[in-house]
Amino acid sequence: GAVVSQHPSWVICKSGTSVKIECRSLDFQATTMFWYRQFPKQSLMLMATSNEGSKATYEQGVEKDKFLINHASLTLSTLTVTSAHPEDSSFYICSASLEGNEQFFGPGTRLTVL
Amino acid sequence: AQSVTQPDIHITVSEGASLELRCNYSYGATPYLFWYVQSPGQGLQLLLKYFSGDTLVQGIKGFEAEFKRSQSSFNLRKPSVHWSDAAEYFCAVDRSNDYKLSFGAGTTVTVRA
């Protein structure tokens, strides 16, 4: 149980385009989902927290207009990287939790912006 | 600055040998503490966590960790590593008990035969 999936697992896009990443909790309803960014050989950095049906809470320094988060249902959250640039290339990881219990992590999405 | 520190970037250990991964945090109060393992192509998996109580915590896959308040440490140990333990290990802290995690930089463990 407690499986979280991400789609796509990797994506390559041209600079200036937008990319949407999906995060799904497959066997439980997640009241809260988190989005992280991980640079090579570095730690995970929390980008934002989203609760179903409400606006996401962004961490300091994360541009909310750049990284659009939608948590439309208890099993799906999406992260859209708008007008992507090469510096947005990274590994994006989501996690889902149920009423404050431990977070269950997705396998991540590798984004490469050319 | 408040932070989570994993001093060892990379550790190589022989199969069957013991393993200890260090983690220190610099927060005023005792936060919730976690160890995760990340294998290629897989999501982070929780090995164990400490909220309160017994300072020696048992986790999955034969791992344990000890919380030492005086040293602000939460080191992970395994008495005998297996080749399948080769992975990236992250210490994490929920500093405000609000389920937002701050991660250390990670330690890569290589297991040699």
Side-chain angles (χ1 to χ4, degrees):
Chain A
V3 178
V4 176
S5 69
Q6 283 185 241
H7 179 79
S9 56
W10 60 270
V11 57
I12 302 174
C13 69
K14 293 182 178 180
S15 184
T17 61
S18 295
V19 174
K20 180 184 286 188
I21 302 170
E22 291 185 350
C23 176
R24 293 182 184 272
S25 56
L26 299 184
D27 50 4
F28 68 102
Q29 294 184 322
T31 52
T32 304
M33 288 186 169
F34 303 85
W35 285 96
Y36 295 84
R37 185 174 179 176
Q38 184 181 27
F39 290 103
K41 303 299 182 182
Q42 295 188 32
S43 179
L44 284 75
M45 299 297 295
L46 179 65
M47 298 175 65
T49 304
S50 74
N51 293 291
E52 185 265 340
S54 61
K55 290 184 178 180
T57 303
Y58 290 82
E59 295 299 301
Q60 190 173 9
V62 178
E63 300 175 60
K64 62 180 180 181
D65 295 329
K66 173 76 170 175
F67 299 99
L68 300 179
I69 293 173
N70 183 281
H71 193 163
S73 75
L74 286 172
T75 59
L76 174 64
S77 177
T78 60
L79 168 68
T80 301
V81 183
T82 62
S83 187
H85 291 282
E87 57 265 31
D88 299 323
S89 298
S90 191
F91 195 53
Y92 292 88
I93 300 173
C94 74
S95 70
S97 69
L98 175 61
E99 296 181 350
N101 285 332
E102 71 175 85
Q103 295 182 34
F104 299 95
F105 287 81
T109 297
R110 173 77 58 194
L111 170 63
T112 301
V113 184
L114 302 177
Chain B
Q2 297 176 332
S3 66
V4 182
T5 303
Q6 293 180 246
D8 304 304
I9 297 174
H10 191 182
I11 288 180
T12 298
V13 61
S14 297
E15 191 169 15
S18 64
L19 173 68
E20 180 168 16
L21 304 181
R22 295 181 290 166
C23 175
N24 294 91
Y25 64 92
S26 60
Y27 297 101
T30 299
Y32 292 169
L33 300 161
F34 305 81
W35 273 101
Y36 287 89
V37 60
Q38 183 182 38
S39 299
Q42 299 182 29
L44 275 76
Q45 181 181 22
L46 179 67
L47 289 175
L48 44 78
K49 60 188 177 185
Y50 173 78
F51 288 178
S52 64
D54 192 347
T55 56
L56 184 62
V57 180
Q58 300 298 319
I60 63 171
K61 302 186 178 185
F63 284 92
E64 67 177 25
E66 185 172 13
F67 168 62
K68 292 186 177 180
R69 184 189 306 275
S70 61
Q71 299 178 17
S72 296
S73 69
F74 188 56
N75 295 348
L76 181 72
R77 298 192 294 255
K78 184 168 184 176
S80 177
V81 299
H82 186 262
W83 64 266
S84 59
D85 293 322
E88 186 85 12
Y89 291 80
F90 290 95
C91 178
V93 165
D94 177 354
R95 60 185 185 275
S96 304
N97 300 338
D98 61 358
Y99 314 112
K100 293 184 179 182
L101 298 179
S102 296
F103 284 83
T107 298
T108 302
V109 173
T110 298
V111 181
R112 60 181 175 222

